[in-house]
Amino acid sequence: GSRAAYTSMTGNGIVAIGDSALYANVSSGNTAVGSRALRSNSNGLMNTSVGSESLYLNSTGNTNTAIGVNASRNQIIGSNNVAVGAFSLQNNLNNYNTSVGVFSGSVHNNYSYGTFVGYGADASLSGLTNITAVGSGAIAVANNQVKLGNSFVTTIGGAVNWSIISDARFKKDVRNDVAGLDF
């Protein structure tokens, strides 16, 4: 496409297909397919971008995968992220996130270790870490949280009941032969 890999003089092992794909690239191992895919990438390495304006603003982020129109569009520096679906992880600014579904993980930014699966699955605040939101419109609201479903879900179930892990391997000060209460 017109202006594909336009400034790429030193990068090797790159693929640029589409108008302005990898336009500013000077690094190696990047693949951009789609109009303006990875357009701003300068020093980011080993990124894969498929879809119009996917990873559009990425500059120095490494080993990201974005598939879908505007997937991870506004990400500039984040690394090791996966965004699959139009507008997924659109505003991401951090690392180690996985987002699958249209608009998933895209409202806020600065997540770390976030997993978003389903249309609009996201978090309520920027800066959260170790969060998971699964289901259409599922929203994690605090660090270290797993959220299943949205406010309209009335039942969560499975083939067996939920289990609370209770095992001596996970406990401290476990003693054998502890006498019960004296009556």
Side-chain angles (χ1 to χ4, degrees):
S2 173
R3 296 181 302 273
Y6 188 74
T7 60
S8 190
M9 291 184 231
T10 59
N12 57 48
I14 65 168
V15 175
I17 300 172
D19 173 50
S20 298
L22 280 171
Y23 178 87
N25 186 72
V26 293
S27 58
S28 301
N30 293 299
T31 299
V33 178
S35 178
R36 295 178 298 282
L38 272 167
R39 186 196 187 286
S40 302
N41 191 72
S42 56
N43 295 313
L45 300 168
M46 299 178 289
N47 295 293
T48 301
S49 178
V50 178
S52 178
E53 295 193 9
S54 55
L55 282 168
Y56 178 83
L57 292 179
N58 187 70
S59 176
T60 59
N62 299 314
T63 59
N64 294 294
T65 300
I67 300 172
V69 172
N70 284 349
S72 290
R73 184 193 190 285
N74 299 322
Q75 175 180 308
I76 299 170
I77 59 173
S79 293
N80 306 304
N81 297 294
V82 175
V84 178
F87 308 100
S88 58
L89 279 180
Q90 183 172 254
N91 297 309
N92 182 52
L93 298 175
N94 222 324
N95 308 315
Y96 311 108
N97 296 293
T98 302
S99 184
V100 179
V102 175
F103 290 110
S104 59
S106 67
V107 174
H108 295 287
N109 59 30
N110 207 23
Y111 308 125
S112 291
Y113 303 97
T115 303
F116 309 100
V117 179
Y119 174 84
D122 211 327
S124 63
L125 302 167
S126 291
L128 296 180
T129 187
N130 192 32
I131 53 175
T132 300
V134 178
S136 178
I139 306 293
V141 298
N143 289 326
N144 306 310
Q145 183 181 73
V146 174
K147 181 71 176 248
L148 299 175
N150 59 39
S151 62
F152 296 107
V153 173
T154 58
T155 304
I156 296 176
V160 296
N161 291 330
W162 287 89
S163 299
I164 305 297
I165 296 175
S166 180
D167 191 313
R169 294 176 295 167
F170 305 113
K171 296 179 180 178
K172 296 179 181 178
D173 298 324
V174 175
R175 297 180 298 193
N176 292 325
D177 300 324
V178 177
L181 296 174
D182 290 329
F183 289 98

